[in-house]
Amino acid sequence: MRTTLLAAAALVFCTGAFGEGAPRIPCASGDKACALKRLRDHPAKKLEFWKAALAKPVGERIGPAPAALVELIAFDNIANSFPNKPRIGSPPPEFVADVRAAFDEMPEAVKKLLAQRYAGIYFVDDLGGSGFTDQYIDSAGKAAGGFIVLDPTVLMQHTANSWATWRDSTPFKPSANERLEETIETRANDNRKNAIQYILLHEIGHVVAIGGSYHPNWNLKPDEIHSTREFPFFELSWTLGGKPRRYETIYDKAFPQRKDIVYYFGAKIPADQMVATYEGLEKTSFATLYSATHPGDDFAEAFANYVHVVMLKRPFEIRLYTQDKVAKTYTACWEQPRCAPKRAILEALLKN
Ligand SMILES: [Zn+2]
């Protein structure tokens, strides 16, 4: 699943040329058919490729992307018409130290979930987004685990609160009268390491869900999903409907803005509906607005927000301003009845 966190910034950083560490890609930039063919059966999507990484302690699985992984992302970008030309990332040591610390400071219960199914965090410049998580399969073709890719160039300058404020402002059209401010860290802890930690918790949420009973495999189209009964987390909020079939939520009637939530590119919701949108969100079981965009992100956001707020006891507050006055404050849902069923599933998962 491509998580286009900070994708807009990634485009700004796009050099448009292959630099050092860029593999030679045997598909032309517009040739989607070629890229899709190469993506099928790609070595970096196989468990075998990640065996050596999986043998290391979880905290040691961090480093520059192997060439085959960069190649996989290059094919994926061509298949998705992203202009970005990925290359092996080589962030400065202090950035790598931040990523290591962000990971090391996560609860042991999170790290335990990863031992068998997480190949690590790999750096790629000009990724086309700040985060990318995909799955690898075993010899029987079953989803066996996942790997995380980060683009250091787009994360370099952010602190936790600047990143969160930026991300959650993107679904709303810019306005002189309305704005959103978000706090996910105290002033003393508002640094880059903690921005990376929240982003990583989201990506780890995707890895944890691979092959699990939370939501259908994100590589399947809604048309290809025959039953959702085996995904109780999904069934708390989502259904399949429409023609062609698509993901809908059980709240769509009472929460009309839900369908217009678009992150990063092409804001659709007028800023004067910010308060109404968050009032709508409070009638759902979604932990954050981003949760309401896709079943996979529903789980990844719930996982990240639950670990951040409940387990790590960090702040989470979104303030909606109208004419420089706070018109609404949105806080974490974990003590509220609306999120209790999802909380129970997360508690069971993290009680290890
Ligand atoms: Zn995601």
Side-chain angles (χ1 to χ4, degrees):
M1 174 163 245
R2 184 174 297 255
T3 308
T4 43
L5 302 173
L6 303 183
L11 289 172
V12 171
F13 279 93
C14 173
T15 60
F18 286 98
E20 208 179 312
R24 201 164 283 280
I25 301 301
C27 294
S29 50
D31 195 346
K32 283 192 185 192
C34 171
L36 286 168
K37 193 170 156 232
R38 297 274 182 166
L39 277 173
R40 246 177 271 137
D41 251 21
H42 194 278
K45 287 194 161 196
K46 300 203 169 145
L47 171 62
E48 193 59 33
F49 179 83
W50 297 106
K51 279 262 165 79
L54 285 158
K56 295 182 188 172
V58 280
E60 299 296 315
R61 301 174 197 172
I62 293 174
L69 176 56
V70 178
E71 185 189 69
L72 172 79
I73 293 161
F75 289 139
D76 197 78
N77 283 358
I78 295 169
N80 285 294
S81 305
F82 296 144
N84 307 72
K85 306 270 195 265
R87 50 188 190 274
I88 297 168
S90 49
E94 60 272 21
F95 183 90
V96 181
D98 274 357
V99 176
R100 283 183 180 276
F103 187 90
D104 289 345
E105 291 167 20
M106 285 181 193
E108 285 306 314
V110 171
K111 292 181 206 166
K112 267 195 189 168
L113 291 174
L114 297 176
Q116 303 300 321
R117 61 171 124 183
Y118 153 83
I121 300 162
Y122 298 97
F123 302 121
V124 170
D125 290 345
D126 204 19
L127 167 66
S130 74
F132 179 96
T133 296
D134 206 354
Q135 60 187 34
Y136 52 80
I137 52 171
D138 62 18
S139 53
K142 236 180 123 224
F147 52 84
I148 295 170
V149 183
L150 288 183
D151 186 339
T153 60
V154 299
L155 299 173
M156 205 63 86
Q157 304 306 328
H158 266 293
T159 67
N161 294 339
S162 78
W163 168 77
T165 295
W166 175 80
R167 184 188 79 154
D168 284 327
S169 296
T170 60
F172 301 101
K173 293 181 181 170
S175 154
N177 295 326
E178 282 92 8
R179 68 190 160 86
L180 174 158
E181 266 182 22
E182 185 161 343
T183 301
I184 61 169
E185 289 295 346
T186 59
R187 195 169 287 196
N189 291 321
D190 184 19
N191 54 36
R192 181 177 67 191
K193 179 204 73 184
N194 286 331
I196 292 168
Q197 187 176 69
Y198 201 94
I199 290 164
L200 281 180
L201 282 172
H202 175 107
E203 299 301 333
I204 286 170
H206 284 312
V207 173
V208 166
I210 291 167
S213 60
Y214 304 105
H215 56 75
N217 189 323
W218 62 69
N219 288 333
L220 294 176
K221 295 193 186 97
D223 261 341
E224 299 168 320
I225 297 161
H226 304 299
S227 158
T228 58
R229 260 199 232 149
E230 60 271 46
F231 306 110
F233 189 96
F234 172 96
E235 291 211 320
L236 289 170
S237 325
W238 299 88
T239 57
L240 288 163
K243 264 190 182 175
R245 283 222 291 182
R246 58 177 182 260
Y247 290 125
E248 293 176 345
T249 83
I250 59 172
Y251 311 107
D252 285 358
K253 273 205 184 103
F255 183 24
Q257 294 89 354
R258 207 285 303 177
K259 294 191 293 306
D260 291 329
I261 304 168
V262 179
Y263 267 79
Y264 312 118
F265 297 112
K268 277 191 177 169
I269 306 176
D272 63 7
Q273 282 184 40
M274 230 180 231
V275 170
T277 302
Y278 271 87
E279 283 171 352
L281 180 63
E282 284 174 337
K283 294 183 190 125
T284 74
S285 62
F286 295 124
T288 70
L289 200 62
Y290 196 30
S291 296
T293 59
H294 187 276
D297 283 312
D298 176 15
F299 181 80
E301 278 290 287
F303 181 89
N305 197 264
Y306 175 82
V307 172
H308 177 82
V309 172
V310 180
M311 299 181 79
L312 293 170
K313 304 198 184 332
R314 306 279 183 79
F316 178 73
E317 183 182 272
I318 297 175
R319 294 172 302 282
L320 308 176
Y321 288 86
T322 304
Q323 309 275 17
D324 284 328
K325 285 208 179 86
V326 177
K328 179 166 182 60
T329 302
Y330 178 86
T331 54
C333 68
W334 303 113
E335 300 297 331
Q336 299 165 17
R338 70 184 182 96
C339 287
K342 286 184 180 171
R343 179 177 176 143
I345 290 173
L346 291 165
E347 275 175 357
L349 171 69
L350 287 154
K351 204 191 314 158
N352 58 28

